[in-house]
Amino acid sequence: MNPERPDQSPITSPRSERVRRIAALSGRSARRKQGRLRVEGPQAVRSLLAERPELALELFLTARAAEHHPELARLVAEAGVPTREVDETIIRAMTREPGGGEGQDRPESGAAGAVSPQGAIAVARLPEESAGAALAAIAALPAEGPLTAVVLHEVRDPGNVGTLLRTADAAGADLVLLTRTSADPYSPKAVRAAVGSTFHLPVIAGAEAPALLDALAGRGITAAATSGYASTDLFEAELPERIAWILGNEARGLDEATLAAAPLAVRIPLAGHAESLNVHTAATVCLFETLRRRSR
């Protein structure tokens, strides 16, 4: 069978091989092996079909979901994506965690079964993940004019990754890059947390930090980091119109080498007694301060 053409036969058993293959997409190695990702929930599926229809391969809907979300029928027709009406038990089985026995792929922590897919699941092609793809995405950015990129470096929690994608999207970012030591932005948990934003802007994983910083500089984009030890206050700093915010690990922040390599470092002023902000809050402050400056 052509691997790009989904099996047209109906799915009647939650224990079928097709259901097990979709459930296995909770694990990163299974996604890489199959070249697929799982998209759960009407809003994320809608964003996939509206913004990246070329990635969509197959859609599974319960009768109730089809009734409550008629716009999906129009979008799948426009995209030419096969649609299957399935029972809720099939949908639930598609999101269960694999058994995790010897030789089986284990999902990322909390990656499967945490949230109901609300009767809608899509299977899509997995975008390329490589250092080369990240560099190519930078090269494809406009050579002039205001621009905001986001780089996630060693951000390990897939829920954090998804939430950061949503924030980057809301703040008008042009590109999100993830180093290879970050969580997979295409895990089910990350895609759920992004609530559709995964498909609203380019999201490329597999980058290498040193080459990434060099490539950004080559396009006239200033890498900016936050540090509690920086001498410059974010709200007083001169922010370049072409900027890439570098965000680090949830517990440790950015490593010393990456922090030292960033041409700009700022601190977010804290008025209370909290020692620091978490990575998502820090990203939100920086990204929306960037947006505020451009809106003046």
Side-chain angles (χ1 to χ4, degrees):
M1 186 198 315
N2 183 344
E4 291 296 303
R5 181 173 298 171
D7 187 346
Q8 300 293 316
S9 60
I11 299 177
T12 57
S13 171
R15 296 182 177 84
S16 72
E17 177 60 25
R18 290 172 67 197
V19 171
R20 286 198 295 269
R21 285 176 62 84
I22 293 171
L25 295 175
S26 295
R28 191 168 195 166
S29 65
R31 290 192 294 276
R32 289 173 172 173
K33 182 178 180 180
Q34 295 186 38
R36 304 284 186 268
L37 69 134
R38 190 175 71 225
V39 182
E40 303 172 11
Q43 187 163 338
V45 169
R46 186 185 307 115
S47 293
L48 168 70
L49 295 172
E51 304 295 335
R52 299 296 304 277
E54 74 281 4
L55 295 179
L57 292 172
E58 196 168 18
L59 176 63
F60 301 91
L61 287 174
T62 62
R64 183 176 182 181
E67 178 183 356
H68 288 180
H69 301 281
E71 75 283 0
L72 294 180
R74 174 182 60 80
L75 289 171
V76 294
E78 292 174 354
V81 177
T83 305
R84 312 275 183 280
E85 185 174 305
V86 294
D87 188 80
E88 181 64 34
T89 59
I90 301 294
I91 293 287
R92 287 199 299 268
M94 287 176 174
T95 60
R96 68 172 177 251
E97 291 189 7
E102 184 177 356
Q104 290 183 301
D105 190 21
R106 292 181 181 273
E108 291 92 348
S109 175
V115 177
S116 167
Q118 299 176 284
I121 288 178
V123 176
R125 294 182 183 87
L126 186 68
E128 182 183 357
E129 174 184 332
S130 70
L135 296 180
I138 294 173
L141 290 170
E144 298 179 349
L147 185 144
T148 302
V150 177
V151 177
L152 307 186
H153 181 43
E154 298 186 343
V155 179
R156 301 291 175 81
D157 183 86
N160 282 344
V161 166
T163 305
L164 285 162
L165 291 181
R166 188 177 184 185
T167 298
D169 180 20
D174 299 281
L175 172 68
V176 177
L177 301 169
L178 298 94
T179 59
R180 61 181 181 81
T181 50
S182 292
D184 186 357
Y186 294 104
S187 71
K189 184 175 182 180
V191 173
R192 282 197 304 267
V195 199
S197 290
T198 308
F199 309 109
H200 294 169
L201 73 168
V203 177
I204 313 293
E208 296 284 355
L212 195 63
L213 294 176
D214 289 342
L216 289 168
R219 295 294 283 176
I221 302 168
T222 301
T226 60
S227 169
Y229 300 102
S231 59
T232 305
D233 185 312
L234 168 66
F235 301 125
E236 297 175 353
E238 290 188 17
L239 299 182
E241 69 170 7
R242 294 170 65 81
I243 191 168
W245 287 105
I246 316 295
L247 306 168
N249 180 265
E250 292 90 341
R252 302 184 303 276
L254 288 171
D255 61 275
E256 290 185 9
T258 303
L259 189 58
L264 175 63
V266 299
R267 59 180 170 80
I268 299 172
L270 304 177
H273 299 292
E275 292 185 358
S276 62
L277 299 175
N278 65 34
V279 64
H280 175 250
T281 303
T284 300
V285 173
C286 293
L287 285 166
F288 278 90
E289 176 63 8
T290 305
L291 178 62
R292 186 188 72 83
R293 302 275 188 102
R294 292 208 184 122
S295 302
R296 290 188 301 192

